[in-house]
Amino acid sequence: MLVLGTTIAILLGTSSAHMATTKPCPRHSPNCDIKPPLPPGVSDYDYNNIKDPIPYNGTLCKSDIPWTAPVATWTAGQDVTYKFQTDGAAHGGGHCQFSLSYDGGKTFVVIHEELQYCFFNGPSSDNIAKVTEYTFKLPAEVPNSDKVIAAWTWVNAIGNREFYMNCADIKIVGSSSSSYTGKEIVIANHEGYPTIEQFSGNYETGLEYYKNAKQVTVNGNGGYVNNPPPSPPPSSQPSSSEQPEPTSHAKFEYSSAPVTTSSSNDYPAPLGHNIVPETTSEADTSLPSSDLLDSIGASDECTIGAFECNADKSGFRVCAWGKWSNDFACGQGSVCTTSDTNAVYCGWP
C-alpha cells in the first residue's frame, strides 16, 4: 500500500493524515481490533482514507452503507468511551461533537461536546494529539434501538477549512424513554453550510454556531419528532453552490503516482499530487509570529507549499510561510520518494 506524504494544512504538513476513531469502530475502517464483516460490495477504506476529511460535497459519514451488525452495545445512562488513532494529525485542536442518529443519518442529536481544545488540554499549535480518549455518560433518556449511528464530528483549529466525520453503527439498550431532545449537530466547511475560519489563536471562532444550534427530538422508531428536516445554520457569508476559495491557497496538480484505491464509489482514495503555490492580489503575505514558526521548526527560505524528501529518505518536510518545517517521518518500512512529476510521497522500497 502506498502511503502519501503530501497532506498540507499550510501551517503543518504530515504523512500521518488526520484523526479517526477506533472505538466504536467507524464504517468500513481497517483500523479496529474487532469489527463485523464488510457489507456486500464494500471494501475497507485505505488506512489514511478513514482519517481524511469529508469531501466538500461528499457523503456525510463517508458512506451511507452500515456495518452488517452493530459494532458496540451501549447502555443508556452508563459511561461510553471514544478512542482515537494515536498517529493522526490534530491540527491544534478545534470543536468536536459526539451525536446519535435514529433515522439513518438524516438527523443527529448531540450527546457530548469537546469544544475549542479537542485532542488537547488548552490552546495549542501542536499537530500531535495529547488526548486520544474521551469517556462521558450516555444520557439516560436516549431511546433503545439496534440501528443507531454514533457520530464523531470535528472542525479543526489550524489548517485548511475541513469537516471530519466518522460514523459507527451501534445498539442502545437499557432505556425506558421513547424519545430524546438535544442540540442538532453543527455541520461546517461543507457544501451548503457555513465556513468556520481558521482559529488563528482565537478559540472562540465558530462557537456561535454551537451555542445557537436548534433543538431536535429523535425517537427509537427512527426519524424526528415535530422537527423540520435539518437545514444549514445561518451564515453571514455569501451563499454559494461552490466551495469558497481562500485568498491564498494551494493549487493541486495530480500526478500519475500509483495509489491503492477503495472500491467504494462514495469516497475515493486520494491521489498523489504536487502542491503549487498560488496567491491572489488580496493574499495576506505577512508571516506569523516567530514563536509560531519556531513551533514547527521553520528554517531556511523556500517556496510556500513545496515538499522535499530529507537526505536519508526517511521522511520529508514542507514549506510553510516560506520556511522549511521539521522533518515528518514516513511510516515504518517506507521511504520518501520523488516521482517523475515531482510528487513527493512515502512508499514501500
Side-chain angles (χ1 to χ4, degrees):
M1 180 182 74
L2 180 71
V3 182
L4 298 177
T6 51
T7 302
I8 183 171
I10 302 302
L11 171 66
L12 295 167
T14 175
S15 63
S16 57
H18 307 282
M19 299 296 293
T21 58
T22 58
K23 180 183 179 180
C25 187
R27 287 178 175 175
H28 318 159
S29 171
N31 309 328
C32 308
D33 294 333
I34 301 175
K35 57 185 178 181
L38 286 166
V42 174
S43 62
D44 280 338
Y45 282 119
D46 174 86
Y47 178 78
N48 280 332
N49 197 337
I50 195 65
K51 296 187 286 187
D52 283 347
I54 300 290
Y56 181 68
N57 59 355
T59 302
L60 296 178
C61 285
K62 294 193 172 125
S63 172
D64 54 10
I65 302 175
W67 282 114
T68 54
V71 297
T73 299
W74 290 358
T75 302
Q78 300 297 311
D79 285 350
V80 296
T81 297
Y82 263 85
K83 293 184 179 180
F84 294 83
Q85 290 179 222
T86 58
D87 62 347
H91 296 298
H95 305 318
C96 286
Q97 290 185 313
F98 303 84
S99 60
L100 302 177
S101 176
Y102 286 80
D103 60 1
K106 298 181 181 69
T107 309
F108 286 91
V109 63
V110 175
I111 56 172
H112 184 72
E113 295 180 313
E114 294 289 339
L115 301 181
Q116 299 179 285
Y117 314 122
C118 194
F119 306 121
F120 295 93
N121 296 308
S124 177
S125 60
D126 205 340
N127 211 27
I128 300 175
K130 299 299 187 291
V131 180
T132 56
E133 183 174 323
Y134 286 106
T135 297
F136 54 88
K137 189 176 294 295
L138 184 65
E141 298 82 8
V142 295
N144 293 336
S145 176
D146 59 0
K147 294 182 179 180
V148 182
I149 299 174
W152 157 75
T153 50
W154 173 41
V155 172
N156 51 311
I158 297 174
N160 293 338
R161 306 325 301 142
E162 296 166 330
F163 184 68
Y164 297 81
M165 187 174 193
N166 282 172
C167 293
D169 297 288
I170 68 165
K171 178 179 181 178
I172 292 180
V173 299
S175 175
S176 59
S177 173
S178 61
S179 64
Y180 177 73
T181 299
K183 292 197 298 185
E184 186 180 42
I185 64 165
V186 172
I187 300 174
N189 308 335
H190 191 267
E191 186 173 32
Y193 294 87
T195 297
I196 295 179
E197 298 296 343
Q198 186 168 214
F199 290 13
S200 300
N202 177 14
Y203 281 79
E204 300 289 318
T205 302
L207 282 182
E208 65 272 17
Y209 296 115
Y210 296 83
K211 293 178 179 178
N212 299 323
K214 72 178 183 181
Q215 297 285 298
V216 294
T217 300
V218 297
N219 64 61
N221 296 321
Y224 47 84
V225 180
N226 297 326
N227 296 312
S231 58
S235 171
S236 59
Q237 299 182 2
S239 60
S240 173
S241 60
E242 298 181 358
Q243 182 177 13
E245 292 189 356
T247 55
S248 179
H249 58 277
K251 179 175 66 179
F252 291 79
E253 292 184 351
Y254 291 98
S255 78
S256 58
V259 295
T260 298
T261 61
S262 164
S263 64
S264 169
N265 293 326
D266 291 323
Y267 197 68
L271 299 175
H273 56 268
N274 295 328
I275 296 183
V276 181
E278 179 181 59
T279 58
T280 68
S281 58
E282 298 86 5
D284 179 6
T285 58
S286 60
L287 288 175
S289 68
S290 58
D291 289 343
L292 196 54
L293 286 174
D294 290 342
S295 73
I296 61 170
S299 63
D300 304 329
E301 293 186 357
C302 54
T303 301
I304 296 174
F307 285 83
E308 70 174 15
C309 296
N310 59 16
D312 63 3
K313 309 299 183 183
S314 64
F316 67 97
R317 60 182 184 169
V318 61
C319 182
W321 290 303
K323 300 289 185 180
W324 285 114
S325 70
N326 285 332
D327 288 351
F328 294 99
C330 291
Q332 184 175 3
S334 62
V335 297
C336 185
T337 303
T338 303
S339 72
D340 293 340
T341 58
N342 293 321
V344 173
Y345 59 94
C346 297
W348 302 119

